[in-house]
Amino acid sequence: MAKMNPFEMFLKQVDEAMPYLNVEQEYIDILKEPKEVLEVAIPLKLDDGTVQIVKGWRAHHNNALGPYKGGVRYHPNVSREEVTALSAWMSIKCATAMLPYGGGKGGVRVSPHDLTKNELERLSRAYAMSIIRFTGTDIDVPAPDVYTDPQIMSWFIDTYEKIKGRNEPSCYTGKPVGLGGSLGRGDATSRGGMYVLREALREIGLLGKPLTAAIQGFGNVGSNAHKLFGEIGITVVAASDSKGGTYNPKGLDYAALIAHKKSGGTVADYPEGERITTDEILESQVDILIPAALEGVLTEANAGKVKAKTILELANGPTTPAAEQILHDNGAMVIPDVLANSGGVTVSCFEWIQGRSGDYWSEKTVHDKLDERLSMAFHEIWEIRKQHKIRMRQAAYVRAISRIVLAMRFRGIWP
Ligand code: NAD
């Protein structure tokens, strides 16, 4: 079978929710296309004086519920299809978390680790300028994603504000706290995942039992999951990044692994673990598997070898529809990305609210509001799942699409 691209995965996921939806076909047809996709070619002057043309995109999927919202990814494999799929997943995710947003996403086809800091700044400013007609507090609010961070958000917002000639703190989120960022944004995606996982374990009677986890991806999301998940009694026994992984059945010490990475080591050469590959980690003997790197890593080729009975999708789109069916048939539960990793965009929304009002919240307020919102979203989706006897992803799509279509019906189809 030919490999599905991420947008085809999204279309299939919508089709799988269709039998449980009570909505007119025309709205589904609208959701099956992005509203607009901007493609840019950026001439990047390198420090040695040569010029490289870098391709970038910003996709707007749907804005029935509010401004487009979604991260910007820097990665050598970024494509128009990937960015478009990610923007569609953002529409579903924002509706799942009951946020006043639609779905957007950006991507730049580049290997950021090959650039100097000055080159990265020039590229980031050029990208923010190229998409400026697409962005703004009430239009489209970008944020960090793979290989972008608060420093890059700072260059984005500075470029935007200087060109517009005004201060506009909520036109980007994921900023450093010293530049209008929110407390609690740094680990929000992983923390939100922890709250969702805690509620899932409560429902299936495993909360409080000694459980093990493997985490694929050791960036912002994966490493913060490692830091936090001990709070709900989970021992992380395997972790990996793009260069490989490490396994220790007694558990990996978070502080020691981070110190090892900071001193120039890699996850794979961590001395307190046994070396494993980026693929082997997915088949680890653990209770919980946490993909936290890129999409399409669980496929029909490896899903049958997954031993974990709970898969928490902190990455976007890590499980293909065929893999999800295999996992389901084998008795595993997939907690889908649109719910599991919605903590990041939820705290981005909190940052957006704080920037608009000038009223900045304590970290405890951010954590409490995040917990309340995601626990509620989880239980509503859990009820839909039980009512129709469907998978969690189908239930999340039923809830999200119903909400988006309700807003679209009120608006009417115009122009
Ligand atoms: P990041 O750039 O901080 O980290 C990505 C990590 O993945 C790195 O450790 C990298 O080495 C690793 N990686 C890349 N290819 C790999 C491979 N083949 N095997 C194992 N590891 C590999 O990115 P991030 O912000 O942590 O995002 C990770 C995932 O979470 C992405 O799918 C992203 O879309 C999703 N996500 C992020 C946020 C957020 O707030 N940052 C929010 C929602 C979803």
Side-chain angles (χ1 to χ4, degrees), residues 73-75 86 90 93 105 113 144-148 185-186 188-190 216-223 240-244 261 267 278-279 281 291-295 297 313-318 337 341-345:
R73 172 175 294 194
Y74 285 3
H75 196 276
L86 289 162
M90 284 308 296
K93 192 183 302 181
K105 199 80 182 191
H113 304 310
D145 191 69
V146 173
Y147 297 153
T148 56
R185 175 62 182 87
T189 303
S190 318
Q216 186 200 40
F218 208 71
N220 174 310
V221 174
S223 67
S240 69
D241 64 13
S242 58
K243 300 195 188 75
K261 275 206 88 173
V267 174
T278 52
D279 292 334
I281 191 162
L294 294 170
E295 59 269 3
V297 295
E313 292 188 333
L314 291 188
N316 282 309
D337 48 6
N341 71 29
S342 63
V345 68

Side-chain angles (χ1 to χ4, degrees), residues 110-400:
V110 69
S111 210
H113 304 310
D114 296 342
L115 300 181
T116 64
K117 192 170 180 196
N118 282 334
E119 290 165 346
L120 195 60
E121 176 175 352
R122 281 198 293 280
L123 175 66
S124 300
R125 288 186 182 277
Y127 176 71
M129 193 181 76
S130 306
I131 63 164
I132 201 162
R133 75 195 106 135
F134 248 44
T135 58
T137 302
D138 294 311
I139 303 169
D140 172 2
V141 188
D145 191 69
V146 173
Y147 297 153
T148 56
D149 60 15
Q151 175 59 72
I152 292 175
M153 296 307 116
S154 305
W155 292 324
F156 284 163
I157 192 170
D158 184 68
T159 305
Y160 179 97
E161 291 185 333
K162 283 192 174 132
I163 291 174
K164 294 276 180 181
R166 63 167 184 258
N167 189 266
E168 197 180 317
S170 291
C171 67
Y172 279 88
T173 61
K175 304 179 295 290
V177 173
L179 189 65
S182 176
L183 292 169
R185 175 62 182 87
D187 64 13
T189 303
S190 318
R191 185 175 291 278
M194 176 181 73
Y195 295 144
V196 167
L197 179 62
R198 180 196 65 202
E199 293 311 299
L201 295 175
R202 196 192 304 282
E203 286 291 348
I204 58 180
L206 290 180
L207 188 61
K209 302 254 162 63
L211 299 170
T212 56
I215 305 177
Q216 186 200 40
F218 208 71
N220 174 310
V221 174
S223 67
N224 277 310
H226 188 184
K227 181 184 80 180
L228 292 171
F229 281 26
E231 285 183 27
I232 54 169
I234 290 166
T235 304
V236 175
V237 295
S240 69
D241 64 13
S242 58
K243 300 195 188 75
T246 185
Y247 172 74
N248 183 334
K250 294 200 195 98
L252 298 168
D253 182 69
Y254 169 75
L257 183 52
I258 286 288
H260 171 73
K261 275 206 88 173
K262 283 205 174 127
S263 64
T266 64
V267 174
D269 64 21
Y270 179 58
E272 303 297 318
E274 174 196 326
R275 189 184 278 255
I276 52 172
T277 67
T278 52
D279 292 334
E280 280 166 351
I281 191 162
L282 301 168
E283 298 161 20
S284 310
Q285 186 69 53
V286 288
D287 301 300
I288 302 156
L289 175 63
I290 307 176
L294 294 170
E295 59 269 3
V297 295
L298 290 171
T299 64
E300 55 196 318
N302 60 8
K305 299 181 204 147
V306 170
K307 304 191 185 60
K309 287 291 173 232
T310 302
I311 291 93
L312 182 73
E313 292 188 333
L314 291 188
N316 282 309
T319 314
T320 66
E324 187 169 351
Q325 188 60 51
I326 295 169
L327 291 165
H328 179 74
D329 292 345
N330 290 344
M333 173 171 68
V334 178
I335 306 178
D337 48 6
V338 292
L339 173 65
N341 71 29
S342 63
V345 68
T346 302
V347 176
S348 269
C349 178
F350 297 165
E351 179 179 336
W352 182 77
I353 294 168
Q354 292 170 76
R356 303 194 88 172
S357 64
D359 176 21
Y360 286 88
W361 308 343
S362 71
E363 193 162 43
K364 181 174 183 316
T365 302
V366 170
H367 291 172
D368 290 350
K369 283 180 185 281
L370 178 65
D371 193 351
E372 183 186 8
R373 198 175 271 264
L374 293 198
S375 299
M376 192 179 80
F378 172 85
H379 287 288
E380 285 184 19
I381 291 166
W382 190 259
E383 283 311 307
I384 297 172
R385 170 187 181 267
K386 277 204 305 202
Q387 186 192 341
H388 295 295
K389 299 190 176 46
I390 54 181
R391 299 193 301 271
M392 286 286 283
R393 190 185 319 274
Q394 288 170 296
Y397 273 57
V398 166
R399 182 169 178 276

